[in-house]
Amino acid sequence: MEKVTLNVSGMSCGHCVNAVEGNVGKLDGVESVNVHLDSGKVDIAFDLDKVSLGKIKETIDDQGYDVE
C-alpha cells in the first residue's frame, strides 16, 4: 500500500472536501482519502497495482482543483 500527501489548491469548503474525497475514494485501489482543508493537503492510501498516482491527480484536477 502506497501513501502520499498531495498539495491541492482551490479547496475552500465542505463541498470541496466531499468532491475530492468522494471522487478519489471511488477509484478502484484507493483505500482512504483524507482532505485537510486548513492546510490544503490530501492524504491518500492506495494500491499502486490497481491505480496510478497520475490517475488520482487527474481525478482531483477534474473536480476543478490544482494539484501541485
Side-chain angles (χ1 to χ4, degrees), residues 4-48:
V4 67
T5 299
L6 300 174
N7 292 312
V8 179
S9 58
M11 300 183 300
S12 61
C13 63
H15 172 75
C16 301
V17 172
N18 292 336
V20 172
E21 289 183 349
N23 286 284
V24 173
K26 288 179 191 173
L27 294 172
D28 184 38
V30 173
E31 182 180 289
S32 66
V33 184
N34 293 302
V35 173
H36 305 283
L37 198 57
D38 56 339
S39 62
K41 296 191 182 298
V42 181
D43 296 327
I44 305 165
F46 65 101
D47 183 345
L48 198 52

Side-chain angles (χ1 to χ4, degrees), residues 49-67:
D49 291 333
K50 293 183 179 179
V51 65
S52 68
L53 182 57
K55 180 63 177 172
I56 292 169
K57 288 181 176 181
E58 179 183 312
T59 300
I60 294 171
D61 187 62
D62 287 348
Q63 299 310 306
Y65 309 109
D66 294 321
V67 182

